[in-house]
Amino acid sequence: MDRLKNVSQIVLMIAIPILILTLSQNIIYRLPDAYLYYFNDSQCLDEIYVSMSNSEMADALTDLLNTFRPDPDQFNIYVDTGYDQLGILDSRDTYNLLMMKNALDLSALLCGAALILTAAGFFFLLRNDEKKKLRISFQIGAFLSGVLLAAQAVCLPAETLRGRIFTMIGIRPFHEDSILQIMMGDGFWTMMTIFLTLAGILILGIGAYLQYRLTRPPRIFY
C-alpha cells in the first residue's frame, strides 16, 4: 500500500503541471476571444483585404481548430464572393494550420489523460487519509507548473525558439505573403503568451483552492 501511495504522489507531481499547461492551451487556442482581441488591437486584417469582420475571422479560425477529422482538401477559411466560396489560404498556410490543429489535438489528449490521473491521485490519497502527501504532491506539481509556464513564456515570443517548436510539430516556414503569417506575427504570439500565462495561473489558483479545501486540517475552535 505504501508503494501505491508513493506512486500516486509521483503521478500527481507529473500530471498536475501537464494538466495546467495543456488545459490553458486548449482554453485559449480553441476559443475566439484571444484572436478577436488581437485582431481588434492590431488591425492586421486590414492587410489581407478580405470581406470578413474581425469576429468572423476569429470564429473561422477556431472553427477550423475545433473541427473533428477535417478533410485536408476542404481545410480553409472561406469568404463569399457572391458567386461561390473562395478559400483565402494557400496550400502552405492550410498545411501549417492543419499541423497546428494536430498539435492542439495532441495537447487535448494529454490534458484528458492528465485530468484523469490527477483526479485518480487525489481520490486515492484522500481515501487513504494521506492529506499531507497530497499537499506535498500538489506543491511540487504547482512548482513544476510554474516552470513549464515560464518556459512557454520564454519560447513563444522568441522567433528562433518558436521556430524550433514549429519545426518539431511539422510547421513549414511561412511564405512572405502568407495570410497566416500576417494574422499570427510576432505580436500575436506575444499576446498569446500573456493569455496562456494568465489562464495557467488562474487554473493553478483554482486547483490550489480545491486542494486546500480537501486537505485542510479539521478546525478545533469554531
Side-chain angles (χ1 to χ4, degrees):
M1 183 61 70
D2 288 340
R3 181 175 296 180
L4 284 176
K5 293 176 183 178
N6 293 334
V7 170
S8 296
Q9 278 192 283
I10 295 173
V11 168
L12 278 175
M13 294 174 195
I14 297 173
I16 288 173
I18 294 176
L19 176 61
I20 300 298
L21 183 71
T22 56
L23 182 56
S24 62
Q25 289 173 346
N26 281 275
I27 290 174
I28 298 302
Y29 285 122
R30 291 188 184 277
L31 295 178
D33 304 80
Y35 302 92
L36 180 58
Y37 180 89
Y38 177 72
F39 293 156
N40 288 336
D41 183 65
S42 67
Q43 296 298 310
C44 63
L45 297 190
D46 292 344
E47 304 176 36
I48 302 176
Y49 306 109
V50 294
S51 57
M52 295 180 72
S53 66
N54 291 343
S55 60
E56 289 173 334
M57 182 63 79
D59 288 337
L61 265 176
T62 50
D63 285 345
L64 287 178
L65 292 175
N66 293 324
T67 302
F68 181 70
R69 293 184 178 178
D71 180 355
D73 295 330
Q74 302 296 322
F75 194 75
N76 209 319
I77 296 174
Y78 292 92
V79 295
D80 189 354
T81 63
Y83 301 97
D84 58 5
Q85 297 291 318
L86 177 66
I88 65 173
L89 302 179
D90 62 22
S91 58
R92 177 66 63 87
D93 277 351
T94 56
Y95 173 84
N96 284 337
L97 191 59
L98 188 58
M99 292 301 101
M100 292 181 188
K101 172 186 164 43
N102 291 341
L104 190 57
D105 288 346
L106 176 59
S107 173
L109 289 174
L110 290 173
C111 181
L115 178 60
I116 293 172
L117 291 174
T118 300
F122 264 69
F123 177 79
F124 180 78
L125 291 178
L126 286 173
R127 185 180 181 185
N128 288 277
D129 198 27
E130 292 289 357
K131 293 183 177 181
K132 182 176 181 181
K133 288 187 175 182
L134 179 53
R135 283 195 297 270
I136 294 173
S137 299
F138 185 87
Q139 290 167 359
I140 295 175
F143 171 77
L144 294 177
S145 299
V147 172
L148 287 182
L149 291 174
Q152 179 178 249
V154 170
C155 292
L156 277 185
E159 184 176 358
T160 301
L161 297 175
R162 185 173 68 246
R164 292 179 180 177
I165 296 174
F166 283 178
T167 300
M168 289 174 60
I169 64 177
I171 295 178
R172 300 169 182 171
F174 294 102
H175 296 306
E176 290 185 4
D177 57 348
S178 163
I179 290 179
L180 202 58
Q181 173 70 3
I182 293 173
M183 292 192 295
M184 297 182 177
D186 290 339
F188 171 82
W189 295 107
T190 300
M191 183 217 66
M192 276 298 194
T193 299
I194 296 173
F195 277 97
L196 288 166
T197 303
L198 291 176
I201 293 173
L202 177 61
I203 296 168
L204 187 57
I206 294 173
Y209 174 77
L210 292 176
Q211 178 269 144
Y212 170 75
R213 294 286 296 182
L214 291 171
T215 64
R216 62 180 178 177
R219 297 174 62 180
I220 300 176
F221 301 103
Y222 291 88

